């Protein structure tokens, strides 16, 4: 057995006012870019929704604050069998649960809570499996139902997870938001009342902050959890002021109405860096922005059309106009900072005449009509989707393709895109665990091509899929690297995406914020943050 060492343990003021006296409370206001779909990380795949759940929940294992290393969380230690199939987790004793007006916990964290967390997503017979739509995208897209053989309670503080096959990124997967541990006692209490959906609307966790209230599309309030196993936070209150417009977020930061703002407009970054009242943090983004071709719909079932569209659009001009100095053109589905990135691959050139010839060969000498879905929110990998869509629309018109731009509210946009309603759909991804598997399998594998999955192109290529599945089944990094490099060659040849850009990520802070670290996975965490 391998033993893992233990780890150490603008008029908004009224709306944001909390019950504690203003003089006594230390409150940090975060100007978030959008509204959450709900408060359950099991059900979501976007950073916007992960951000609101992270203060509330913990995982068995977690990523170190500001880094990619997997460290103990609710499990203080674990062992892995020599064959790599059995993981035994020892839970911390005395971990307390949050409470609410309707729920008061009667016990600490136990193995029952871990089992519930797995079984809700895994077992169709679980009472909560279909609650809130039951679309466990991550759990299913990562083939967890096939991977898991059993999850057993050894005793109140010990859980044994047995896999059907070796899974190289399994521990890192467990640190991702979708595996946040939920209270089975809370679930049982809601079931008795017949209000099962509250589990995703009024979250109860073990995390550093306790959920207080949500005013839709306006504000989310949290307070420090006094009994947090990791120690009481320095902040008394954490407030999310939902502010979709980047210019307004910056104005609020300058006015002192919020202390942290994500995703500034690229055009504002230089001025922010010169502003003595603002601290700008930045890092290379573990991300990619792309346009998916729905290969189940004509004419994008023809690879010649996909290649023609890829050559019809001026990527360099898009990146210069929209990302400016905060992005680089993308040619692969994984970012260049990630191991196994295949730099030998050549991108499709911007070549209008070659694009026209390919379209003619495919039977579309005069072009065709298509939809072009543009994201309604600002993300680091897509800072202005509408502008990019307009540039794509203009370029496509030059080869006879008439593209109609389509937009929906963010939650509806994602739902419809994952259902495969689009022909051309704009999206992006920020890595969640630092492993190429999180891009290549989760976004492009056959398992994720199902309706509702994150493979938005619905592209299932057996040769590609065999390579990325094989890469999951070995712990040899050199062997995995070769497999991933080969898979990127197939991806480029088959062109299920038009890769747009990888971005640099920025965040603006007030001068009095201390202890905040940017997260390599693009989420925003507030443990250990303080205000001078």
């Amino acid at each position: 057995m391998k033993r893992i060492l233990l780890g150490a343990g603008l008029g908004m003021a009224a709306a944001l006012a909390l019950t504690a006296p203003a003089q006594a409370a230390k409150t940090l206001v975060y100007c978030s870019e959008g509204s959450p779909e709900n408060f359950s990380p099991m059900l979501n795949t976007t950073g916007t929704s992960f951000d609101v759940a992270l203060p509330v929940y913990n995982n068995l294992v977690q990523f170190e604050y500001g880094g990619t290393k997997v460290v103990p969380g609710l499990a203080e230690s674990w062992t892995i069998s020599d064959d790599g199939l059995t993981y035994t987790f020892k839970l911390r004793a005395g971990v307390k649960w949050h409470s609410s007006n309707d729920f008061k916990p009667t016990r600490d964290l136990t193995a029952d809570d871990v089992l519930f967390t797995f079984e809700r997503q895994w077992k169709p017979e679980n009472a909560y499996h279909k609650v809130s739509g039951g679309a466990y995208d991550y759990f299913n897209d990562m083939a967890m139902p096939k991977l898991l053989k059993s999850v057993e309670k050894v005793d109140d503080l010990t859980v044994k997870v047995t896999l059907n096959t070796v899974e190289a990124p399994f521990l890192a997967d467990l640190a991702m938001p979708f595996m946040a541990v939920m209270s089975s006692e809370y679930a049982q209490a809601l079931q008795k009342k017949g209000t099962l959906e509250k589990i995703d609307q009024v979250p109860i966790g073990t995390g550093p902050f306790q959920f207080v209230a949500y005013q839709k599309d306006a504000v989310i309030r949290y307070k420090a959890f006094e009994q947090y196993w990791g120690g009481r936070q320095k902040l008394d209150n954490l407030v999310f002021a939902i502010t979709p417009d980047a210019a307004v977020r910056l104005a609020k930061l300058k006015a002192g109405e919020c202390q942290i703002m994500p995703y500034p407009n690229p055009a504002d970054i230089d001025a922010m860096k010169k502003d003595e009242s603002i601290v700008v943090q930045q890092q290379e983004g573990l991300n990619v922005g792309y346009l998916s071709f729905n290969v189940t719909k004509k004419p994008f079932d023809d690879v010649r059309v996909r290649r023609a569209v890829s050559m019809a659009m001026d990527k360099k001009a898009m990146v210069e106009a929209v990302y400016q100095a905060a992005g680089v053109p993308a040619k692969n589905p994984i970012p260049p900072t990630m191991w196994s990135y295949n730099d030998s691959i050549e991108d499709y050139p911007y070549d209008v005449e070659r694009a026209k010839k390919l379209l003619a060969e495919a039977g579309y000498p005069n072009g065709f009509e298509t939809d072009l879905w543009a994201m309604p929110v600002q993300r680091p990998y897509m800072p202005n989707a509408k502008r990019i869509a307009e540039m794509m629309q203009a370029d496509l018109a030059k080869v006879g393709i008439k593209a109609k731009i389509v937009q929906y509210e963010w939650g509806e946009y994602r739902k419809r895109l994952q259902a495969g309603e689009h022909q051309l759909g704009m999206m992006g991804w920020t890595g969640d665990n630092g492993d190429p598997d999180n891009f290549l399998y989760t976004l492009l594998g056959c398992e994720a091509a199902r309706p509702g999955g994150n493979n938005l192109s619905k592209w299932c290529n057996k040769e590609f899929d065999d390579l990325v599945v094989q890469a999951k089944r070995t712990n040899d990094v050199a062997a995995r690297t070769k497999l991933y490099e080969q898979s990127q060659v197939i991806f480029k040849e088959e062109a299920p995406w038009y890769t747009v850009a990888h971005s640099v990520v920025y965040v603006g802070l007030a001068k009095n914020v201390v202890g905040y670290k940017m997260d390599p996975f693009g989420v925003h965490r507030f443990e250990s943050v303080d205000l001078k």
Side-chain angles (χ1 to χ4, degrees):
M1 303 285 281
K2 302 170 190 171
R3 187 68 190 173
I4 309 300
L5 296 176
L6 273 66
L10 321 147
M12 279 292 291
L16 302 181
L18 296 161
T19 53
Q23 299 85 347
K26 188 180 285 188
T27 299
L28 183 140
V29 180
Y30 169 67
C31 275
S32 66
E33 79 286 359
S35 300
E37 294 153 279
N38 51 56
F39 288 84
S40 173
M42 289 181 178
L43 299 167
N44 305 311
T45 60
T46 69
T48 304
S49 292
F50 285 161
D51 281 350
V52 304
L54 288 172
V56 176
Y57 292 110
N58 294 122
N59 293 36
L60 281 173
V61 295
Q62 57 198 38
F63 296 110
E64 64 180 349
Y65 181 49
T68 61
K69 181 182 177 183
V70 176
V71 298
L74 294 177
E76 63 181 6
S77 64
W78 58 89
T79 56
I80 306 172
S81 61
D82 291 337
D83 62 7
L85 296 178
T86 302
Y87 293 70
T88 304
F89 296 93
K90 186 66 177 176
L91 304 183
R92 297 180 187 274
V95 173
K96 306 298 180 184
W97 287 99
H98 302 165
S99 61
S100 69
N101 293 335
D102 299 322
F103 173 73
K104 307 298 178 190
T106 64
R107 61 164 177 80
D108 297 341
L109 169 81
T110 72
D112 293 324
D113 304 308
V114 179
L115 263 62
F116 171 73
T117 298
F118 275 95
E119 291 177 355
R120 176 183 174 182
Q121 302 179 79
W122 184 24
K123 303 288 188 180
E125 63 271 21
N126 185 281
Y128 280 82
H129 186 70
K130 295 182 179 179
V131 171
S132 303
Y136 306 106
D137 293 336
Y138 256 131
F139 194 84
N140 291 313
D141 289 355
M142 297 171 75
M144 284 287 183
K146 293 180 181 178
L147 177 65
L148 295 171
K149 183 175 183 180
S150 64
V151 181
E152 303 169 83
K153 174 182 177 179
V154 178
D155 56 46
D156 277 351
L157 292 177
T158 310
V159 177
K160 183 169 73 172
V161 180
T162 305
L163 309 181
N164 284 308
T165 185
V166 171
E167 176 81 356
F170 184 64
L171 268 182
D173 292 346
L174 294 184
M176 290 163 56
F178 81 100
M179 285 306 299
V181 176
M182 295 187 174
S183 166
S184 65
E185 185 185 19
Y186 183 43
Q188 291 165 8
L190 293 176
Q191 192 173 356
K192 288 179 182 177
K193 294 178 181 179
T195 56
L196 282 72
E197 69 285 348
K198 272 195 173 182
I199 199 167
D200 304 318
Q201 299 167 356
V202 183
I204 295 290
T206 58
F209 293 94
Q210 182 170 325
F211 175 80
V212 175
Y214 173 39
Q215 182 182 343
K216 186 172 172 55
D217 299 330
V219 62
I220 308 168
R221 303 176 187 176
Y222 306 88
K223 64 181 180 181
F225 182 40
E226 300 292 341
Q227 297 175 292
Y228 178 50
W229 60 268
R232 205 264 196 201
Q233 297 300 292
K234 297 171 184 176
L235 297 173
D236 299 300
N237 304 300
L238 173 63
V239 174
F240 280 42
I242 298 169
T243 314
D245 189 296
V248 178
R249 290 199 297 276
L250 179 55
K252 288 184 177 182
L253 180 64
K254 289 181 175 180
E257 295 185 16
C258 65
Q259 288 75 49
I260 301 179
M261 67 152 291
Y263 316 131
N265 285 321
D268 292 332
I269 291 168
D270 282 344
M272 289 175 65
K273 289 180 176 179
K274 295 172 183 175
D275 191 324
E276 293 185 358
S277 69
I278 296 174
V279 174
V280 177
Q281 292 186 5
Q282 69 182 76
Q283 65 180 11
E284 292 289 331
L286 202 67
N287 61 39
V288 61
Y290 63 91
L291 180 73
S292 67
F293 300 108
N294 188 338
V295 303
T296 68
K297 290 188 175 182
K298 288 185 178 299
F300 301 108
D301 57 338
D302 190 325
V303 68
R304 293 171 296 182
V305 173
R306 302 197 294 270
R307 290 171 180 169
V309 170
S310 297
M311 286 189 271
M313 298 189 292
D314 189 346
K315 185 180 299 185
K316 185 173 181 286
M318 285 182 215
V319 174
E320 288 178 353
V322 177
Y323 295 81
Q324 299 181 35
V328 294
K331 63 180 181 180
N332 289 331
I334 64 174
T337 53
M338 179 168 273
W339 61 273
S340 82
Y341 179 83
N342 191 341
D343 198 31
S344 67
I345 288 173
E346 291 188 12
D347 202 3
Y348 290 103
Y350 172 50
D351 192 326
V352 173
E353 293 308 312
R354 283 177 65 185
K356 287 179 178 178
K357 288 179 182 178
L358 270 177
L359 287 175
E361 287 177 22
Y364 301 96
N366 301 314
F368 52 84
E369 294 183 0
T370 182
D371 58 41
L372 172 56
W373 292 37
M375 294 166 53
V377 297
Q378 184 187 32
R379 306 297 297 158
Y381 49 72
M382 201 69 71
N384 189 335
K386 183 70 181 297
R387 176 65 180 131
I388 292 175
E390 290 167 349
M391 295 183 74
M392 289 179 172
Q393 183 184 51
D395 283 345
L396 293 175
K398 296 173 187 175
V399 296
I401 299 174
K402 297 178 181 178
K404 179 184 177 182
I405 296 174
V406 176
Q407 285 192 300
Y408 291 96
E409 175 273 328
W410 182 223
E412 189 71 12
Y413 180 88
R414 280 191 55 249
K415 180 181 176 182
R416 288 173 177 265
L417 211 62
Q418 288 179 238
E421 294 184 18
H422 64 293
Q423 287 176 286
L424 295 175
M426 200 178 291
M427 187 51 81
W429 191 259
T430 298
D432 294 296
N433 63 12
D435 197 289
D437 174 80
N438 185 239
F439 286 78
L440 298 172
Y441 185 79
T442 303
L443 302 181
L444 292 159
C446 290
E447 194 75 30
R450 60 187 173 78
N454 280 305
N455 184 339
L456 305 180
S457 295
K458 309 307 174 189
W459 175 70
C460 177
N461 179 285
K462 187 177 187 304
E463 187 181 1
F464 176 93
D465 200 63
D466 287 347
L467 289 169
V468 295
V469 169
Q470 188 181 346
K472 292 163 70 73
R473 304 294 181 246
T474 176
N475 288 311
D476 185 326
V477 174
R480 296 184 75 202
T481 296
K482 289 181 181 179
L483 293 166
Y484 287 136
E485 287 175 346
Q486 292 171 35
S487 73
Q488 289 167 72
V489 172
I490 297 170
F491 165 86
K492 206 63 195 178
E493 290 174 348
E494 289 294 309
W497 294 356
Y498 173 75
T499 49
V500 179
H502 309 291
S503 75
V504 177
V505 182
Y506 294 88
V507 63
L509 312 176
K511 281 280 192 180
N512 65 332
V513 175
V514 293
Y516 180 81
K517 293 182 181 180
M518 293 186 73
D519 190 281
F521 306 123
V523 293
H524 301 88
R525 294 168 57 179
F526 302 97
E527 57 260 44
S528 305
V529 177
D530 196 6
L531 295 172
K532 290 181 185 175

